[in-house]
Amino acid sequence: MPELLDTLRLTFGYDQFRPLQREIMEAHLAGQDTFALLPTGGGKSLCFQLPALVRADRGLTVVVSPLIALMKDQVDQLQAAGVAATYLNSSLSSAEARSRMAGLHRGEFRLLYVAPERLMLPEWQQNLTGWNVAALAIDEAHCVSEWGHDFRPEFRQIAQLRDILPEVPMMALTATATERVRADIIKHLRLRDPAVFVASFNRPNLTYKVQPKDGPAKQISEFVKQRRHESGIVYCATRATAERMAEALVKRGFNALPYHAGLPAEVRSENQELFVRDEVNIICATIAFGMGINKPNVRWVVHHDLPKNIESYYQETGRAGRDGLPADCLLLFSAGDAAKQSHFIDDITDEHERNVARSQLRQMLHYAESAGCRRTELLAYFGEGYAETNCASCDNCIEPRDTYDGTIPAQKFLSCIYRVAQASRFGAGVNHLVEILTGADTDKIRRWGHNRLSTYGIGQELSRPQWLGVFRELMRLGFVQQTEGRYPTVEMTEAGREVLRLRSPITLTKPMAVPKAARVRIPRKGAIECDEILFARLRALRKQLADERGVPAYVIFGDATLRQMAREYPESVAEMHDIFGMGEKKREQFGEEFAAEISDHLKDNAKMAFND
Ligand code: ADP
Ligand code: ZN
């Protein structure tokens, strides 16, 4: 459909579709129900916005969304691109709501955003049949499922729309869906033989790193020092830590604010607003932060503490780089934190819940300690393979960890497990095994006679932390495993018995080193190189224009658009046609001012040249 591409260019200023966008739109426009599973930043909104504009019948697309805060945001962005869109929710005065309703009756809008509970009001059902509704889009569709992380009972009523508007195709969109949630969405929204589209969950513009935690306040300020003008989020496990980090960063001269459920609602929303509007560039937050923000230019996410599970880690880091430009994700990891979490888990009374928490922690630890590609690990969690052997944008791919011949220590450790199992009827925990290896003289050792084992004291060449490192490596390699329960014991796996029996060589990975301050930075893949001084000027102009209109800066232009201007130097509106993100309406509205700013800059500065 050529109209789709034309409208993409003209209205949004983008020159190509992101993966599956076109397919989703075409199926939808052909009248089919569709189900789109795209990662954050995958461009879900466009999947229903663009079809709304190319429809021959000029009908209305009704978008159901659970997040009131985001409705205004999306509508602001659409209006800035010249699209007739509006929203109705409880935040509007009744006069304003009435005038919007009148506009809907006159058929003035192409898109309407609403919360689900509103749709079910009796007078609405009549409205809907009178408004020439041509399409229904259900955003965050996982909210319909009790198995998702964000169940909203009112989403269950959406299906009734199918009785009111039986002919209208429905599109369901989400970034999170396990098999179970997927089936729930199809069932509870009553999707009819939907075309299902599942995009890759790989986020190629995100770089993943893990560092051992060692003085986190200092580590994080080193990290943000190299990113002075960028926006980022520091995720913390507790409210107190979030407060403390924000304070520590402010004390070091950074612009940071806390965000957590313990703050009064006004403070919370003000802090969020300041972040969204680029007044403050760092938010130190608990996981309470993030759902309701749409900010596309979050350039980094740091985890001060180990997240609860891989899924949360993926979602939280996923808030970085929605604009497709490079962004960095750093996890600070400490084995001590992990042990603490493990103790908390022991206190969970429900057995099923406890086991789930334990296995999630184990997966998270595996990720943190892995010497393999982080991206491959994350994708594997979602059951997706990754074809490349080196992603070139995670710490382990860029700088493979040093390995060493660990055959001797590994054999010692494995034999020790074997001997203990032979001598006692019960297994031993990892600390006890290490005490045997290092020849410690403890009550427990004497009581069980473990000082008479042939492996007693055979490992004095390594320290206890070093032995614990060997143990974690053997876990990672699948040669040993820990039992469940409050006092986990270590046992050998089939593979462990095999390498011990065959005396096979075993390669172990050295522990992660705490990086020196002056370490090379990971080059950013896909970065748009530009005249940074001009970029800063354009950013200031963008902020001024945004503030005048009371909208976030990204409603005016994304960073990619500014960066492209700061490398192409268009000095007139006519030269702006090919700038990314520069639709017709925006060019008309803002082109002149940006061109003037660029000309002004060129009075005192020469153009810089860039390679492609
Ligand atoms: P999601 O809801 O899937 O997280 P959004 O719909 O918010 O993603 O889109 C993320 C960003 O990507 C937005 O700034 C959007 O304008 C931009 N975008 C969407 N589609 C394209 C495209 N085809 N080309 C360039 N940018 C796009
Ligand atoms: Zn990698």
Side-chain angles (χ1 to χ4, degrees):
M1 285 190 110
E3 306 93 294
L4 282 176
L5 192 59
D6 291 345
T7 310
L8 180 74
R9 291 194 173 128
L10 202 66
T11 305
F12 296 94
Y14 301 146
D15 47 14
Q16 51 188 346
F17 290 102
R18 296 236 173 107
L20 297 183
Q21 279 181 329
R22 175 198 285 277
E23 291 80 353
I24 294 166
M25 293 178 198
E26 286 180 347
H28 175 67
L29 285 170
Q32 225 185 330
D33 279 356
T34 44
F35 181 24
L37 185 50
L38 263 58
T40 306
K44 283 185 283 298
S45 318
L46 211 66
C47 294
F48 53 82
Q49 292 170 345
L50 200 50
L53 301 182
V54 305
R55 257 170 220 298
D57 57 15
R58 302 187 57 82
L60 179 72
T61 295
V62 175
V63 185
V64 183
S65 159
L67 300 166
I68 288 189
L70 289 190
M71 288 183 195
K72 174 168 185 329
D73 204 76
Q74 290 225 357
V75 168
D76 281 344
Q77 291 189 60
L78 284 168
Q79 287 178 349
V83 175
T86 192
Y87 66 90
L88 283 167
N89 64 32
S90 51
S91 73
L92 301 174
S93 69
S94 56
E96 179 61 31
R98 253 196 318 276
S99 113
R100 293 184 184 197
M101 292 285 258
L104 285 159
H105 286 305
R106 289 192 299 267
E108 282 171 8
F109 298 107
R110 311 306 299 273
L111 284 126
L112 165 69
Y113 285 73
V114 275
E117 52 274 24
R118 196 159 272 258
L119 282 175
M120 297 308 144
L121 302 175
E123 72 266 33
W124 265 76
Q125 312 207 346
Q126 214 176 354
N127 287 334
L128 287 172
T129 43
W131 283 347
N132 185 23
V133 176
L136 290 164
I138 318 300
D139 210 0
E140 315 284 350
H142 58 273
C143 291
V144 82
S145 170
E146 277 167 311
W147 299 107
H149 51 80
D150 196 23
F151 176 49
R152 313 262 173 136
E154 61 280 11
F155 260 62
R156 288 284 167 89
Q157 300 174 359
I158 295 173
Q160 296 168 25
L161 286 175
R162 309 238 74 169
D163 302 325
I164 306 166
L165 303 166
E167 305 297 318
V168 175
M170 190 183 271
M171 178 186 293
L173 308 105
T174 175
T176 31
T178 55
E179 279 297 334
R180 200 173 208 177
V181 173
R182 219 184 284 181
D184 255 10
I185 292 173
I186 292 175
K187 174 170 145 211
H188 292 298
L189 293 178
R190 288 167 48 196
L191 296 183
R192 292 177 290 229
D193 187 21
V196 177
F197 299 92
V198 182
S200 163
F201 271 63
N202 181 27
R203 301 283 310 276
N205 59 321
L206 301 189
T207 298
Y208 300 99
K209 287 187 261 189
V210 180
Q211 278 177 14
K213 195 199 271 188
D214 181 26
K218 185 155 168 291
Q219 280 175 299
I220 294 173
S221 40
E222 281 300 323
F223 181 89
V224 296
K225 207 153 78 190
Q226 302 167 14
R227 299 167 170 78
R228 281 255 173 217
H229 300 291
E230 300 179 353
S231 297
I233 308 171
V234 180
Y235 275 110
C236 305
T238 66
R239 298 171 182 183
T241 316
E243 289 281 344
R244 200 151 27 82
M245 271 325 298
E247 256 166 55
L249 289 171
V250 167
K251 221 181 287 162
R252 288 171 158 87
F254 301 103
N255 203 348
L257 283 174
Y259 185 102
H260 54 75
L263 293 170
E266 331 63 272
V267 177
R268 233 166 32 212
S269 70
E270 186 182 326
N271 289 2
Q272 170 169 326
E273 188 68 14
L274 288 169
F275 180 65
V276 168
R277 301 244 162 136
D278 292 335
E279 299 281 346
V280 136
N281 58 339
I282 304 172
I283 285 283
C284 299
T286 58
I287 51 166
F289 185 71
M291 252 304 261
I293 67 161
N294 216 354
K295 191 173 164 60
N297 64 337
V298 174
R299 290 269 72 83
W300 54 265
V301 169
V302 171
H303 277 78
H304 178 282
D305 301 293
L306 204 61
K308 233 181 34 236
N309 52 44
I310 301 262
E311 167 99 45
S312 321
Y313 187 63
Y314 178 83
Q315 294 300 340
E316 285 151 24
T317 51
R319 304 205 166 111
R322 289 173 85 140
D323 55 9
L325 292 178
D328 298 313
C329 311
L330 171 66
L331 168 64
L332 297 182
F333 170 67
S334 112
D337 284 0
K340 241 186 273 168
Q341 270 200 33
S342 169
H343 280 297
F344 286 132
I345 291 174
D346 291 339
D347 291 336
I348 298 176
T349 42
D350 182 84
E351 186 186 339
H352 173 70
E353 238 175 81
R354 194 171 56 234
N355 287 338
V356 169
R358 212 174 266 136
S359 102
Q360 290 182 333
L361 176 61
R362 208 173 314 121
Q363 287 170 326
M364 204 57 236
L365 283 176
H366 179 82
Y367 173 83
E369 299 200 297
S370 169
C373 173
R374 310 274 182 206
R375 189 175 306 281
T376 307
E377 295 275 343
L378 285 177
L379 291 175
Y381 177 84
F382 295 103
E384 187 180 331
Y386 183 62
E388 312 289 324
T389 46
N390 187 314
C391 81
S393 50
C394 79
D395 49 3
N396 288 333
C397 284
I398 289 167
E399 236 184 313
R401 299 245 296 279
D402 289 339
T403 54
Y404 63 102
D405 177 4
T407 313
I408 303 281
Q411 284 176 356
K412 286 182 178 176
F413 199 100
L414 294 171
S415 321
C416 193
I417 300 175
Y418 179 75
R419 293 293 165 203
V420 170
Q422 241 185 358
S424 339
R425 268 173 299 122
F426 33 86
V430 60
N431 288 313
H432 186 74
L433 288 168
V434 171
E435 286 180 343
I436 299 173
L437 284 163
T438 53
D441 183 23
T442 69
D443 274 355
K444 222 158 90 181
I445 289 203
R446 270 178 273 126
R447 186 152 23 97
W448 292 350
H450 285 166
N451 49 357
R452 291 193 301 274
L453 294 178
S454 61
T455 52
Y456 182 73
I458 58 165
Q460 304 197 22
E461 71 280 17
L462 296 185
S463 66
R464 296 183 49 148
Q466 284 173 324
W467 275 117
L468 290 173
V470 170
F471 162 69
R472 285 200 297 270
E473 276 292 290
L474 293 175
M475 285 262 281
R476 184 176 71 75
L477 295 168
F479 296 145
V480 304
Q481 62 194 18
Q482 266 182 312
T483 57
E484 305 282 326
R486 187 173 282 266
Y487 303 105
T489 60
V490 178
E491 47 194 35
M492 238 187 294
T493 61
E494 198 48 54
R497 272 189 284 278
E498 196 67 4
V499 290
L500 186 60
R501 193 173 61 82
L502 298 174
R503 307 266 139 197
S504 330
I506 298 173
T507 302
L508 300 183
T509 306
K510 287 192 182 160
M512 283 179 283
V514 178
K516 311 283 173 289
R519 218 165 108 142
V520 279
R521 268 182 79 174
I522 294 182
R524 286 177 151 187
K525 240 194 341 190
I528 304 176
E529 228 192 319
C530 74
D531 184 333
E532 295 291 335
I533 296 175
L534 177 55
F535 176 58
R537 277 184 78 157
L538 299 182
R539 217 166 43 207
L541 173 60
R542 174 178 69 178
K543 175 133 184 46
Q544 181 203 322
L545 294 171
D547 289 349
E548 283 166 14
R549 289 163 178 74
V551 294
Y554 56 80
V555 168
I556 311 285
F557 287 126
D559 283 6
T561 306
L562 298 195
R563 287 193 165 273
Q564 229 200 339
M565 283 197 265
R567 73 181 268 145
E568 310 282 334
Y569 301 98
E571 288 189 75
S572 69
V573 177
E575 288 169 62
M576 290 187 173
H577 273 270
D578 292 331
I579 300 287
F580 174 91
M582 182 74 76
E584 200 179 26
K585 180 75 193 293
K586 288 195 179 180
R587 201 167 58 228
E588 206 175 276
Q589 216 178 342
F590 306 117
E592 203 103 41
E593 269 173 284
F594 280 88
E597 192 73 21
I598 294 166
S599 300
D600 199 50
H601 170 84
L602 289 176
K603 278 188 206 142
D604 305 313
N605 302 276
K607 284 189 189 178
M608 294 171 65
F610 299 95
N611 303 326
D612 285 332

